[in-house]
Amino acid sequence: MLNPSANRMGTESAFAVLARAGVLSAQGHDIINLGIGQPDFKTPQHIVEAGIKALQDGAHGYTPSLGLPELRTTVADDLKNRYGVRPDPDLIQIVPGGKPILFIAMMLLGGQGREILTPDPGFPIYQSAINYSGATSVSYGLVESNGFAFDADDVLSKITDKTSLVIINSPANPTGGITPRSEMDKFVEGMAAFPHVTILSDEIYDRLIFDDEPLSLLTYPEIADRLIVLNGWSKTYAMTGWRLGYGIWPKHLIDYADRMAVNIHSCVNAPTQHAGIAALTGDQTCVADMLVAFRRRGALITSLLNGIDKISCQAPGGAFYAFANISQTGIAALDFQQMALEDYGVALIAGTSFGGFGEGYVRISCANSDEAITQACARIDTLVREQS
Ligand code: PLP
């Protein structure tokens, strides 16, 4: 007998599209993959070598469930370096990718009778984990006319006595939108009226910002006792497949988060943790170089998409996604996704995979070469001409 909550669990369609694109490629179709959100770069060599060396040196065993002490200290130092705030390493939890922090947070703070605020469009796992926990998800809209930033007043207005958690994400998946500091200030100020509410700030794209100053909620001491920060190595160091991320927890939650990890995965594999130390302590030129490439490609894809009749696209402020407005084509987002992949060989993701506010949009990753992006946009142009 299946636990009924299993049916409330959602998924991430980017993985389904990735699988289908793989099948079509294997059948000999020419597919350009702009679906999944992962850097197309290889993990920098010095990071790979640190992982290999750790294996050769015998790092084969379990590590402490919260992660290697040296890695947790390194994360704290890195944040001090970048934001001037050094979290207590005892409150840092190393996990396999950033995702487990979402699931653990929802398991700890969700449940029947609770409400959790989540962005729409937003990373689909937010909604899925909220639903699985039994809590009610309450969406706040991110709209193009506001640069896909969140509106602090709107978010605050949705908080009730039942709200246990508010999720925020900037730079955002799927829009590449960035919430400006002034709005973040307003949000934090407004949260003073709701001391019962925890905040989860998903900062996984905080090193992929094109023009604005990076901003972490860690820099607001007034919410430190109820802030969960999610971050990791996947996007910054092209390490999606290694599975390495971290959470920073309030003091009263870290032991529960640890218990959850021990129940699920025990710890992250040791060589990957050593690679993570090398990533944070090594030369950061690799990060700067990837950022330059993503910025150039973001500008390229925006200009190509804006050149297509009936499509418009705001320039992303960060991350590596273009969130293109296709509403003028008259094609529903999911139909657009299916046609693009099956008939035109372009893997992209329907905006509706990220919530109802995503209708009329598709997410196109720019984590691919200039040539692939150019060719994909030409195919999208043909799709629109032929189908709309
Ligand atoms: N948060 C956001 C907003 C993401 O886009 C992703 C990955 O796409 C994650 C978290 C999870 O990252 P990871 O692959 O490290 O689990």
Side-chain angles (χ1 to χ4, degrees), residues 11-26:
T11 186
E12 196 185 342
S13 15
F15 278 93
V17 171
L18 180 69
R20 180 67 187 148
V23 168
L24 289 169
S25 294

Side-chain angles (χ1 to χ4, degrees), residues 168-371:
I168 59 170
N169 171 221
S170 174
N173 178 8
T175 61
I178 292 189
T179 297
R181 180 177 290 274
S182 54
E183 211 58 29
M184 223 46 117
D185 289 349
K186 203 189 216 185
F187 168 70
V188 171
E189 218 170 280
M191 286 301 290
F194 307 106
H196 63 289
V197 180
T198 302
I199 301 154
L200 168 52
S201 181
D202 182 343
E203 303 181 358
I204 196 121
Y205 295 103
D206 76 333
R207 307 271 314 259
L208 294 174
I209 296 182
F210 303 148
D211 298 315
D212 298 70
E213 279 291 302
L215 172 63
S216 170
L217 283 208
L218 283 171
T219 56
Y220 294 89
E222 58 269 53
I223 50 168
D225 60 348
R226 53 190 172 116
L227 173 68
I228 305 165
V229 171
L230 178 162
N231 210 325
W233 286 254
S234 297
K235 318 289 178 175
T236 307
Y237 296 99
M239 291 178 71
T240 49
W242 292 72
R243 308 311 298 139
L244 187 63
Y246 64 85
I248 306 170
W249 294 90
K251 217 180 217 126
H252 67 284
L253 289 179
I254 184 76
D255 287 342
Y256 292 103
D258 186 27
R259 236 183 275 181
M260 194 74 83
V262 172
N263 273 275
I264 302 172
H265 58 260
S266 297
C267 62
V268 173
N269 74 80
T272 290
Q273 295 193 52
H274 285 281
I277 294 170
L280 293 180
T281 54
D283 187 356
Q284 300 299 297
T285 312
C286 53
V287 179
D289 288 349
M290 285 190 265
L291 180 61
V292 167
F294 290 135
R295 179 192 276 123
R296 190 191 63 247
R297 294 160 175 188
L300 172 68
I301 200 163
T302 307
S303 91
L304 291 171
L305 288 167
N306 281 317
I308 300 174
D309 192 28
K310 300 183 187 163
I311 290 194
S312 63
C313 186
Q314 280 196 6
F320 34 66
Y321 307 111
F323 205 55
N325 186 329
I326 57 158
S327 54
Q328 295 302 312
T329 66
I331 306 170
L334 192 56
D335 292 340
F336 200 101
Q337 170 190 305
Q338 270 158 0
M339 271 193 271
L341 180 56
E342 302 293 332
D343 305 329
Y344 297 87
V346 179
L348 47 76
I349 311 293
T352 42
S353 302
F354 306 94
F357 276 76
E359 185 52 273
Y361 294 88
V362 290
R363 189 193 78 175
I364 310 176
S365 163
C366 26
N368 211 321
S369 67
D370 292 10
E371 299 71 42

